[in-house]
Amino acid sequence: MTWAAGYTEGPVVTKERIGFIGLGHMGHGMAKNLIEKGWPLTVLGHRRREPIEDLKARGATEATTPKQLAQMSEVIILCVTGSAEVQETIQGSDGLAAAERPLTIIDCSTSDPSVTIKLAEDLSRSGSVLVDAPLGRTPADAQAGTLDVMVGGDAPIVEKVRPILEAFASRVVHTGPTGTGHTMKLLNNFLSMGYAALYAEALALGAKAGVEPRLFDAVIRGGRMDCGFYQTYFKWVLDRDPTAHKFSLRNALKDMTYLASFAQSVGLANPIGSSVRNSFATAVGTGHGDEYVPRLSDIVAGLNGVSLDPALKGPNGGGGT
């Protein structure tokens, strides 16, 4: 059969107008992938202009308030710090809800599941839908479009937004009803931040005993205790790469605080979670909140009188000061 010139087989798919709030380390890559894959995109202005200007150069439109963004969009993606910021963005005086129109809101932040469930109930009364879709992997994966996404929501809604999520993710897992995505994200971050705290204490103990980080790594790397998180963490420990793992100690403490609240809400004793949280509380309380998670290794080592930095290595083999 011969097709007429210019004929495209199959239905023409109209892509939803998307509004994006939160163009940080993860959000910028996600938004870039959306616009490159054909979604009309509006972004919210921010004092950090570089990602905004980059996306505008790619064809995005800029809004100045969440309300204005909602008026220009059908689907809103949030990639902000946590529940407090999500609530203010939606329910604030010039927030998304002030637009008074039904929206599909995808919360890719790491939020408190109990807050997410309550917020979804409030939004449903005005015809809007909230889907929790927190992220796994790194900013490099956000740029490459290979994130993991954990999605909580009713199955028909999840299938409706799946093509949007797949624009920046290579793996999308439906976790169950609204709130389960954020629950799974807290469990995921409990594992990763637990690793971070364990690595920090093990390295400090090794340094005290004369075991240098490179010897530690020679044993662990490639063995059963190796993993992707270990590898990015140790890009800082071994190579002093400041961009190896772009997740702040302050955000780690926030997530472990959410975990503690969640455990309490279901009546679970979580002594290991409390210990992990205290590791990050110590780091933040000593003025290191804006540093990235692998720096915890140096903080714990320093509090124990040793250094892991080869440039500061003392006279003994373990970097003692």
Side-chain angles (χ1 to χ4, degrees):
M1 182 179 292
T2 303
W3 300 103
Y7 179 86
T8 301
E9 186 175 2
V12 176
V13 177
T14 301
K15 294 188 174 181
E16 300 93 333
R17 295 175 297 157
I18 296 178
F20 204 109
I21 300 176
L23 299 169
H25 294 312
M26 299 291 268
H28 175 255
M30 295 160 64
K32 174 185 74 72
N33 274 288
L34 284 164
I35 200 166
E36 286 182 349
K37 294 170 184 175
W39 270 271
L41 188 70
T42 302
V43 296
L44 185 66
H46 192 269
R47 63 181 179 276
R48 184 168 168 263
R49 296 301 304 172
E50 293 90 340
I52 299 288
E53 297 303 332
D54 175 73
L55 293 166
K56 286 172 64 177
R58 297 173 188 269
T61 302
E62 182 178 4
T64 57
T65 67
K67 177 182 177 181
Q68 184 187 42
L69 186 94
Q71 291 167 337
M72 302 168 69
S73 308
E74 294 154 322
V75 176
I76 307 292
I77 297 176
L78 305 179
C79 192
V80 295
T81 302
S83 291
E85 291 77 11
V86 170
Q87 288 176 293
E88 177 61 26
T89 299
I90 295 174
Q91 298 177 317
S93 60
D94 216 8
L96 299 173
E100 297 183 338
R101 62 190 302 257
L103 297 166
T104 299
I105 301 173
I106 303 173
D107 181 13
C108 294
S109 318
T110 300
S111 298
D112 183 328
S114 63
V115 175
T116 298
I117 293 167
K118 176 64 164 59
L119 191 55
E121 291 171 352
D122 292 344
L123 285 166
S124 69
R125 288 192 279 272
S126 60
S128 290
V129 175
L130 177 65
V131 175
D132 50 319
L135 312 167
R137 296 190 178 268
T138 68
D141 291 294
Q143 291 289 333
T146 55
L147 291 170
D148 293 342
V149 182
M150 299 148 262
V151 193
D154 292 341
I157 298 298
V158 171
E159 291 311 305
K160 177 183 175 182
V161 302
R162 185 180 290 273
I164 296 172
L165 300 174
E166 288 177 342
F168 50 77
S170 58
R171 193 162 69 115
V172 177
V173 179
H174 183 198
T175 54
T178 301
T180 58
H182 282 146
T183 298
M184 189 61 231
K185 174 61 174 177
L186 287 185
L187 298 178
N188 180 84
N189 280 19
F190 177 30
L191 292 179
S192 59
M193 295 306 104
Y195 278 146
L198 281 170
Y199 298 156
E201 288 195 26
L203 285 164
L205 181 58
K208 278 281 194 181
V211 175
E212 296 186 30
R214 289 197 181 277
L215 174 58
F216 182 97
D217 180 69
V219 173
I220 301 301
R221 190 175 296 269
R224 291 184 66 190
M225 300 310 298
D226 193 0
C227 64
F229 184 87
Y230 174 90
Q231 291 169 17
T232 56
Y233 191 100
F234 270 71
K235 281 184 181 180
W236 167 255
V237 174
L238 300 179
D239 304 326
R240 300 283 123 176
D241 180 350
T243 64
H245 195 98
K246 292 182 177 180
F247 189 69
S248 74
L249 291 161
R250 192 182 312 282
N251 278 339
L253 175 59
K254 180 263 297 181
D255 290 354
M256 292 303 95
T257 301
Y258 284 166
L259 180 78
S261 175
F262 178 58
Q264 184 175 6
S265 74
V266 299
L268 180 82
N270 67 325
I272 294 175
S274 297
S275 295
V276 172
R277 183 191 177 279
N278 284 338
S279 293
F280 290 100
T282 298
V284 173
T286 52
H288 300 278
D290 294 329
E291 298 175 18
Y292 294 146
V293 161
R295 304 288 182 99
L296 182 65
S297 58
D298 293 317
I299 296 163
V300 172
L303 291 171
N304 285 282
V306 292
S307 174
L308 304 177
D309 187 347
L312 301 175
K313 193 171 79 170
N316 68 30
T321 54

